[in-house]
Amino acid sequence: MHYLWDEMTLTFSRTSMFPFFDIAHYLVSVMALKRRPGAAAVAWNNPLSSWLSAMLHCFGGGILSCMLLAEPPLKFLTNHTNILLASSIWYIVFFCPRDLVSQGYSYLPIQLLAAGMKEVTRTWKIVSGVTHANSYYRNGWIVMIAVGWARGAGGVIVTSCEELLKGDWKPEGNEWLKLSFPAKVTLLGSIIFTLQHTNHLAMSKHDLMFLYTMFLVTIKITMMITKDTTVTLAPFEDTLSRMLFGWQQQFSLGERKREAKQSSNGTASSGSKRITEDAGSGKRHAKKED
Amino acid sequence: MDLLSALSLGELALSFSRVPLFPVFDLSYFIVSIIYLKYEPGSVELARRHPVASWLCAMLHCFGSYILADLLLGEPIIDYFSNSSSILLASAVWYLIFFCPLDLFYTCVCFLPVKLIFVAMKEVVRVRKIAVGIHHAHHHYHHGWFVMIATGWVKGSGVALLSNLEQLLRGVWKPETNEILHMSFPTKASLYGAILFTLQQTRWLPVSKASLIFIFTMFMVSCKVFLTATHSHSSPFDVLEGYICPVLFGAAWGGDHHHDNHGAPHGSGLGTQHSGLPAKAREELSEGSRKKKTKKAD
């Protein structure tokens, strides 16, 4: 039994990403690009720009990790087959007669299949990022986590920068500061794989890859079926953030209660007022004193 | 006697330039940098809502100089993050400043005498970073004067030159508030320091590196402590610039804002008024920009 399991995970971890999983990844990325308002019009008017955006969507994580490690950001262009594959997918998605591909993609099982396969490529990317960073920095576990994260989920950052440069989007609200679900999961995975790589986790790599991929795929598919974006991690995160970052609020809540009890005295309120005043004057001095 | 004092001064400078920075001086650098992050409007709210973004911002404030210098010299920009102990120290400081119960740590650190000590220690780190940056650039480009100056400047001024990126991380996008447009005192001082250290490195300045570090550190510490103590944003270079800039960049440099008011005196050639005007205009100009900034901060 144990032997079988080992065999299975080992073969799984040796699966080549090249034709099918990569196709799924490119398909999902390019469809995400196409869903943006105005993307189809851009493709008709200015195919080159649209192609460039598509490439950034497909290879963004790799570009970001190359930039972090001071490798040429255009390194992805040397991989001709992948570029050709991604370009042909971009072509059929945008210019297929009668929009056949988009219509086919709107069928839910196909979407689920493609999304599941895309999540598989994510695991592979994280692992390759972590090992790649490890070849530069033996003991730099923060670097390993960051590069794994960038390779797995950095595409979002690259594409938002692209939009920012094009002027389509302005970071007025804080939406983009909020980590998206894939970013969080990728961070988690990156930490886990780094721990495994530095031998802090008593588990073989292929087992871990299998388990993590299963976890990713199931979460993604349940999220897509239930159309719910706040599955699974939310309660865990809530507790964690209350534990780590909630100190002040709890204390200030307690203070407020005490204050309400001894409303006549008001020392606590004056203290807190002084703090806020301090903060206010600090803001006034906030000019870059650095 | 004279010789003895010179010897001891040289030795003092030498031993001063060999003091290890890591735990204490670096700690105060992190503390002061993150205090400035907390001064920025909206950063407390940000830390509560998006801790990861806030942490990244704090890291930029602490290590922005290394990141930018690595970017300029084509080294991995994530290079400094392999220094786990520094990162952990800075993260701990970030956590304490933003999330300490009752804001205890922040209030202690912001107590003026304590803050002055930290500010002084931060300047020590800054000067040392400029010197190291120039040495590093000299290693790559032996005759690259401008490379050396640029690297030293970037190392000294830190996050200020990255302010747009840092604002973007906080969800603010104001391309018009650029550090290069409104250079603050530390940025200017770093630039001048970088020039001095480059001259020293290429042997145009007949002093030893240790004594230059010592003298420049003393200058920076006294200026910065004075400025922080008086809560002023003016810089000691203002007076000098008031004299030099009109000569170099023409009379219109300081007076263009008042041109319509003072058109006649310019024409009649009143020398004294002419030399007095630019400094005054500058003062008013900086007043105006400060007001603009306050408005933005509120």
Side-chain angles (χ1 to χ4, degrees):
Chain A
M1 184 59 203
H2 185 257
Y3 177 74
L4 262 179
W5 162 262
D6 233 30
E7 189 90 328
M8 186 184 73
T9 54
L10 207 58
T11 32
F12 176 76
S13 73
R14 282 182 190 153
T15 321
S16 164
M17 285 295 107
F18 172 55
F20 301 113
F21 291 94
D22 276 345
I23 287 178
H25 170 63
Y26 300 146
L27 185 66
V28 174
S29 310
V30 177
M31 286 312 292
L33 171 66
K34 197 177 179 186
R35 293 228 171 113
R36 268 199 217 160
V42 170
W44 279 105
N45 296 330
N46 193 349
L48 191 65
S49 149
S50 168
W51 178 79
L52 210 61
S53 306
M55 290 304 112
L56 285 183
H57 266 87
C58 294
F59 300 101
I63 295 174
L64 190 69
S65 75
C66 279
M67 284 205 278
L68 287 182
L69 289 174
E71 287 168 359
L74 292 182
K75 205 170 148 196
F76 73 97
L77 288 175
T78 54
N79 205 340
H80 296 132
T81 34
N82 282 31
I83 293 286
L84 281 180
L85 196 61
S87 308
S88 48
I89 284 177
W90 163 77
Y91 186 78
I92 57 165
V93 165
F94 276 98
F95 301 104
C96 184
R98 297 185 185 194
D99 229 0
L100 274 177
V101 178
S102 299
Q103 278 173 17
Y105 188 77
S106 60
Y107 182 53
L108 189 65
I110 292 184
Q111 261 186 48
L112 289 182
L113 184 69
M117 283 166 83
K118 181 191 156 97
E119 293 308 309
V120 177
T121 63
R122 198 187 290 281
T123 315
W124 261 251
K125 280 184 194 159
I126 297 173
V127 172
S128 74
V130 168
T131 21
H132 190 66
N134 189 43
S135 69
Y136 277 83
Y137 298 97
R138 287 274 138 222
N139 297 316
W141 46 272
I142 298 178
V143 179
M144 284 156 79
I145 292 174
V147 175
W149 192 24
R151 205 170 270 197
V156 189
I157 296 173
V158 173
T159 48
S160 359
C161 284
E162 179 232 344
E163 278 183 75
L164 181 70
L165 289 183
K166 276 159 91 182
D168 293 346
W169 166 80
K170 288 211 171 90
E172 280 157 354
N174 306 28
E175 323 90 19
W176 89 296
L177 299 178
K178 206 175 225 164
L179 291 180
S180 62
F181 179 75
K184 277 178 200 161
V185 171
T186 312
L187 179 60
L188 183 73
S190 187
I191 293 172
I192 291 176
F193 281 110
T194 304
L195 284 181
Q196 196 277 329
H197 210 91
T198 49
N199 299 327
H200 283 95
L201 210 64
M203 210 172 179
S204 61
K205 190 180 227 165
H206 45 95
D207 282 349
L208 196 62
M209 277 169 82
F210 183 75
L211 290 178
Y212 181 70
T213 313
M214 286 303 120
F215 167 73
L216 273 184
V217 171
T218 31
I219 284 188
K220 183 78 192 177
I221 286 179
T222 35
M223 265 172 69
M224 284 179 76
I225 289 175
T226 56
K227 303 230 155 91
D228 187 4
T229 47
T230 56
V231 215
T232 52
L233 284 185
F236 172 68
E237 227 173 70
D238 230 35
T239 354
L240 196 70
S241 75
R242 200 165 300 154
M243 259 166 58
L244 285 179
F245 307 122
W247 284 103
Q248 245 182 12
Q249 270 169 331
Q250 280 170 14
F251 269 90
S252 61
L253 271 183
E255 204 170 81
R256 229 171 276 157
K257 273 177 201 161
R258 232 185 302 140
E259 192 184 312
K261 273 179 195 166
Q262 35 161 273
S263 53
S264 58
N265 195 342
T267 47
S269 78
S270 78
S272 67
K273 213 180 276 170
R274 203 187 318 131
I275 289 173
T276 52
E277 262 173 24
D278 256 11
S281 68
K283 272 172 202 165
R284 240 165 282 138
H285 295 303
K287 213 219 125 198
K288 277 151 250 150
E289 260 182 77
D290 182 4
Chain B
M1 190 62 205
D2 215 36
L3 189 72
L4 195 70
S5 71
L7 199 69
S8 68
L9 189 67
E11 252 170 40
L12 177 69
L14 197 66
S15 51
F16 177 73
S17 73
R18 279 185 190 154
V19 176
L21 287 185
F22 173 58
V24 185
F25 287 91
D26 274 346
L27 181 68
S28 50
Y29 189 89
F30 300 151
I31 289 175
V32 176
S33 306
I34 296 175
I35 285 177
Y36 286 137
L37 171 64
K38 196 166 180 178
Y39 282 165
E40 299 283 341
S43 64
V44 178
E45 186 70 7
L46 176 83
R48 202 152 291 151
R49 281 221 196 126
H50 312 288
V52 178
S54 170
W55 179 80
L56 265 179
C57 255
M59 291 303 112
L60 263 190
H61 269 262
C62 294
F63 306 111
S65 54
Y66 296 103
I67 293 172
L68 200 55
D70 283 336
L71 186 70
L72 288 183
L73 290 177
E75 280 161 15
I77 56 176
I78 205 165
D79 190 64
Y80 201 78
F81 282 75
S82 57
N83 252 332
S84 307
S85 44
S86 293
I87 304 286
L88 285 182
L89 190 64
S91 307
V93 170
W94 164 76
Y95 187 80
L96 280 177
I97 283 187
F98 278 99
F99 302 105
C100 187
L102 295 175
D103 241 359
L104 215 62
F105 188 75
Y106 180 67
T107 14
C108 286
V109 165
C110 275
F111 179 55
L112 195 63
V114 180
K115 194 181 161 190
L116 286 183
I117 295 174
F118 284 136
V119 165
M121 282 160 87
K122 182 182 174 177
E123 294 313 307
V124 175
V125 179
R126 190 198 300 278
V127 176
R128 204 72 83 75
K129 267 162 122 182
I130 296 176
V132 170
I134 281 168
H135 187 77
H136 192 91
H138 183 250
H139 186 73
H140 280 260
Y141 300 96
H142 271 282
H143 300 289
W145 284 53
F146 293 105
V147 180
M148 285 188 239
I149 294 177
T151 314
W153 184 35
V154 158
K155 278 256 181 160
S157 52
V159 76
L161 293 176
L162 278 172
S163 57
N164 281 122
L165 178 66
E166 185 259 350
Q167 285 174 345
L168 186 62
L169 269 181
R170 286 191 280 118
V172 182
W173 181 240
K174 287 190 209 132
E176 69 275 6
T177 57
N178 199 309
E179 176 68 17
I180 297 181
L181 295 180
H182 315 276
M183 281 214 255
S184 57
F185 166 68
T187 314
K188 270 183 200 166
S190 306
L191 180 58
Y192 298 144
I195 293 173
L196 279 184
F197 277 101
T198 305
L199 287 179
Q200 195 276 329
Q201 185 80 40
T202 50
R203 287 154 205 244
W204 284 86
L205 211 64
V207 280
S208 72
K209 190 178 227 166
S211 38
L212 187 60
I213 288 180
F214 185 70
I215 296 165
F216 196 65
T217 309
M218 286 304 126
F219 168 71
M220 287 297 287
V221 166
S222 47
C223 285
K224 198 67 213 249
V225 166
F226 178 73
L227 289 181
T228 313
T230 55
H231 289 293
S232 99
H233 292 300
S234 63
S235 89
F237 300 129
D238 276 353
V239 187
L240 214 64
E241 276 166 8
Y243 285 111
I244 294 176
C245 289
V247 175
L248 284 181
F249 307 120
W253 190 82
D256 56 350
H257 283 252
H258 292 249
H259 215 53
D260 32 10
N261 300 352
H262 295 267
H266 267 285
S268 59
L270 285 175
T272 48
Q273 195 163 355
H274 183 253
S275 65
L277 185 63
K280 193 182 146 212
R282 253 199 71 80
E283 235 171 61
E284 284 182 24
L285 195 69
S286 64
E287 192 71 35
S289 66
R290 207 178 308 151
K291 268 179 203 154
K292 217 178 286 164
K293 254 171 206 155
T294 336
K295 214 183 283 169
K296 258 171 214 160
D298 290 338

